[in-house]
């Protein structure tokens, strides 16, 4: 079973930065896309960004967040800069195993999920 583990969350002040990591347990896994989602208390899970056929971002984070791959194929990062209180949420990484012609934006288009890492932005 493929497992994903997020790390790097924490408490930061507005305007600060965090670098979130997502590691896939199986180094031989080759997904078609890796995505980042977030969920705040009482809110639906929200698309943040993803890399696959190409890299895309939600309008709410565009210009502030960057998705990249590590030197290891099974590691992806979410660099979150100029954080705002409204960025506070549990952040999840997700992997799609099925082939796709586009980079998925919907949660139900992903096959594997991590447990999440808490990001809190507060003064």
């Amino acid at each position: 079973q493929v497992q994903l583990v997020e790390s790097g969350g924490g408490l930061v002040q507005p305007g600060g930065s965090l670098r979130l990591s997502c590691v896939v347990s199986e180094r031989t896994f080759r997904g078609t896309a890796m995505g980042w989602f977030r969920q705040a208390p009482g809110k639906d899970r929200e698309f943040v960004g993803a890399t696959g056929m190409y890299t895309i971002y939600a309008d709410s984070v565009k210009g502030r967040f960057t998705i990249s791959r590590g030197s290891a194929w099974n590691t992806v990062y979410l660099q979150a800069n100029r954080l705002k209180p409204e960025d506070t949420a549990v952040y999840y990484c997700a992997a799609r195993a099925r082939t796709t012609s586009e980079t998925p934006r919907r949660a139900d288009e992903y096959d594997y999920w991590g447990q999440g890492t808490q990001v809190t932005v507060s003064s």
Side-chain angles (χ1 to χ4, degrees), residues 20-44:
L20 308 185
S21 300
C22 176
V23 179
V24 180
S25 62
E26 299 295 333
R27 64 179 180 178
T28 59
F29 177 76
R30 295 291 185 271
T32 60
M34 295 291 296
W36 286 94
F37 293 78
R38 66 187 183 186
Q39 188 166 20
K43 301 294 181 65
D44 293 332

Side-chain angles (χ1 to χ4, degrees), residues 2 11 13 16 27 29-30 33-34 45 54 58 61-63 77 81 84 92 94 105 107 112 115 117 120:
V2 175
L11 174 64
Q13 294 184 338
R27 64 179 180 178
F29 177 76
R30 295 291 185 271
M34 295 291 296
R45 189 162 297 187
Y54 28 74
V61 305
K62 192 174 299 181
Y77 301 99
N81 298 326
K84 305 174 181 179
Y92 300 89
R105 305 177 70 98
Y112 302 100
Q115 292 296 111
T117 185
T120 302

Side-chain angles (χ1 to χ4, degrees), residues 18 20 36 38 48-49 57 60-67 78-84 87 91 119:
L18 286 172
L20 308 185
W36 286 94
R38 66 187 183 186
V48 174
Y57 302 93
S60 59
V61 305
K62 192 174 299 181
R64 299 188 296 120
F65 289 17
T66 303
I67 296 172
L78 179 67
Q79 179 68 43
N81 298 326
R82 303 195 305 279
L83 285 160
K84 305 174 181 179
D87 294 319
Y91 283 69
V119 172

